[in-house]
Amino acid sequence: MSTPTAIDFWFDFSSPYAYIANEWIDALAARHGRPVRRHAILLGVTFQAAELKSPVSYPLKRDYAWRDFDRSARFAGVPFHRPEPFPLATHLAARVFWWLQDTHGEAAATAWTHTAFRAVFTRNVPINDPVALRQLVSEAGLDAAQAQAAWNDPLWKDRLRAENDAAIALGVFGAPFFRVDGEPFWGNDRQEQLARWLQTGGF
Amino acid sequence: MSTPTAIDFWFDFSSPYAYIANEWIDALAARHGRPVRRHAILLGVTFQAAELKSPVSYPLKRDYAWRDFDRSARFAGVPFHRPEPFPLATHLAARVFWWLQDTHGEAAATAWTHTAFRAVFTRNVPINDPVALRQLVSEAGLDAAQAQAAWNDPLWKDRLRAENDAAIALGVFGAPFFRVDGEPFWGNDRQEQLARWLQTGGF
């Protein structure tokens, strides 16, 4: 038998909907015998390419967006606490992800996504701040000095930039964004369609 | 017992997601003993107020949007044929809706939503064209001359304008948009949350 192809999952650590999806994607994938391949990206870059903005940047949409983030988290059974200020810069945490992915492996990188997302969306940890990020890395049992060296290293800066470019080239314009066997799904609210697609091989 | 409060449902006849929602909202409401109160509006006006644009107007998002319209229709078991050109002006059909609502009653207005939405999204009927719209009205068993008089009448122009203003004042910025007991839900993809809200009275 051939190896089942992965579900690609793109996220930015400042996306509330990606935080929620990060909590359910592994169980859904496992039910269908699929691995998950995570991609930390920077939404600011893809928004710029797509001429989009964050939903909270539109006046009429802002109040609804915060209400919907919170309600969608409750609907999924995931704790949610509104971070302030928002959005926050996530390039350091994203570089930590790629450093872990390439040097510690997929499991360590995945664990980091849970650590960083939960820190932002349940404890208001400012992961854009190097001091707070060092502490978070330590709490996660990683070497803070190594992590900081990595997030300042051009190697991981370039890695993140290349992943952003690759995502944009594949048509990724928001988060969470998924691809299954070439089929794109955008949004935490595409969970049901993604599940049916995995179940049926397309509909 | 008090009368159950209605589910308010705002739509524009050029919204594919509102077309899909228009097919399931009555059954969902009926399961929970709720009436549906429909509101035809013009998304162009609310987009302007919210500084938003249609998803198909963004370069990177356009291809995904069409794919998702089509897939979301299949997911809901609703036929879908991409209309060309798109979007199309819907003020005439919206005025017919309000004319029917106010002079023929809720059932006639609801029947018209099915007629007009299905004409646009399964048969590519250009409902912005008075000749095509007259024919559609006749097919629906209505008086075409009366309908045309209505869509040209300042009375129904003002009615539609007032409904748009009221929608914007309530925070409606897209379609389909729902309100249940003060709780707003935006999008065909909020069906599950809306259903749970009706079931539980809030979560």
Side-chain angles (χ1 to χ4, degrees):
Chain A
M1 279 182 57
S2 59
T3 312
T5 54
I7 300 171
D8 285 297
F9 168 32
W10 288 266
F11 59 89
D12 181 310
F13 283 116
S14 80
S15 163
Y17 295 126
Y19 155 62
I20 298 168
N22 194 53
E23 296 287 331
W24 54 253
I25 187 60
D26 294 296
L28 176 61
R31 280 198 292 280
H32 299 283
R34 301 275 198 145
V36 175
R37 189 163 50 208
R38 283 172 164 80
H39 306 262
I41 58 170
L42 302 182
L43 271 189
V45 177
T46 64
F47 279 169
Q48 206 165 16
E51 299 172 23
L52 296 165
K53 294 193 285 183
S54 163
V56 298
S57 70
Y58 295 99
L60 266 185
K61 217 171 174 177
R62 186 184 298 115
D63 290 350
Y64 179 83
W66 281 110
R67 181 189 282 255
D68 192 64
F69 295 159
D70 197 45
R71 189 177 61 204
S72 295
R74 293 199 305 276
F75 187 74
V78 170
F80 183 83
H81 178 83
R82 176 176 173 163
E84 297 270 15
F86 184 86
L88 71 177
T90 56
H91 54 289
L92 304 185
R95 290 179 200 148
V96 170
F97 172 85
W98 288 112
W99 165 65
L100 287 171
Q101 175 73 34
D102 292 354
T103 63
H104 292 58
E106 185 98 41
T110 296
W112 173 246
T113 66
H114 290 292
T115 297
F117 266 130
R118 291 171 188 170
V120 172
F121 290 106
T122 70
R123 296 194 288 130
N124 204 19
V125 175
I127 60 166
N128 55 321
D129 169 45
V131 175
L133 191 58
R134 277 181 67 106
Q135 191 182 328
L136 186 66
V137 163
S138 294
E139 283 171 24
L142 300 164
D143 187 301
Q146 274 184 25
Q148 182 156 21
W151 79 56
N152 286 323
D153 189 330
L155 185 65
W156 308 110
K157 293 182 183 180
D158 289 347
R159 180 78 164 97
L160 176 57
R161 199 174 295 121
E163 284 286 340
N164 263 321
D165 291 345
I168 291 166
L170 275 170
V172 174
F173 54 81
F177 204 99
F178 305 95
R179 273 175 77 100
V180 179
D181 304 332
E183 184 73 10
F185 297 87
W186 170 50
N188 175 59
D189 45 29
R190 287 299 174 278
Q191 180 182 5
E192 302 274 324
Q193 291 193 20
L194 182 56
R196 193 187 293 179
W197 199 273
L198 289 165
Q199 186 69 42
T200 61
F203 57 82
Chain B
M1 279 182 58
S2 59
T3 311
T5 55
I7 301 170
D8 284 297
F9 168 32
W10 288 267
F11 59 89
D12 181 308
F13 283 115
S14 80
S15 162
Y17 295 126
Y19 154 63
I20 298 168
N22 194 53
E23 297 286 330
W24 54 253
I25 186 61
D26 294 295
L28 176 62
R31 280 198 292 280
H32 299 283
R34 300 275 198 146
V36 176
R37 189 163 50 206
R38 283 172 164 80
H39 306 262
I41 58 169
L42 302 183
L43 271 188
V45 177
T46 65
F47 279 170
Q48 206 166 17
E51 300 173 23
L52 296 165
K53 293 192 286 183
S54 162
V56 299
S57 70
Y58 295 99
L60 265 185
K61 217 171 174 177
R62 187 183 297 117
D63 290 350
Y64 178 82
W66 282 110
R67 181 189 283 255
D68 191 64
F69 294 159
D70 196 46
R71 188 176 63 205
S72 295
R74 293 198 305 277
F75 187 74
V78 170
F80 182 83
H81 178 83
R82 175 176 174 163
E84 297 271 14
F86 183 86
L88 72 177
T90 56
H91 54 290
L92 304 185
R95 289 180 201 147
V96 171
F97 171 86
W98 287 112
W99 165 64
L100 288 171
Q101 175 74 35
D102 292 354
T103 63
H104 292 57
E106 185 98 41
T110 297
W112 173 246
T113 66
H114 290 292
T115 297
F117 266 130
R118 291 171 188 170
V120 171
F121 290 108
T122 71
R123 299 194 286 128
N124 204 19
V125 175
I127 61 166
N128 55 322
D129 169 46
V131 175
L133 191 58
R134 276 181 68 106
Q135 190 183 328
L136 186 66
V137 163
S138 294
E139 283 172 24
L142 301 164
D143 187 301
Q146 274 184 24
Q148 183 157 20
W151 79 58
N152 285 324
D153 189 330
L155 186 64
W156 309 110
K157 292 182 183 180
D158 288 347
R159 180 78 162 97
L160 175 57
R161 199 174 295 119
E163 285 286 338
N164 263 323
D165 291 346
I168 291 167
L170 275 169
V172 174
F173 55 80
F177 204 99
F178 305 96
R179 272 174 77 100
V180 179
D181 304 332
E183 183 73 9
F185 297 86
W186 169 50
N188 175 58
D189 45 28
R190 287 299 175 275
Q191 182 183 4
E192 302 274 324
Q193 291 193 21
L194 182 56
R196 193 187 293 180
W197 200 273
L198 289 165
Q199 185 70 42
T200 61
F203 56 84

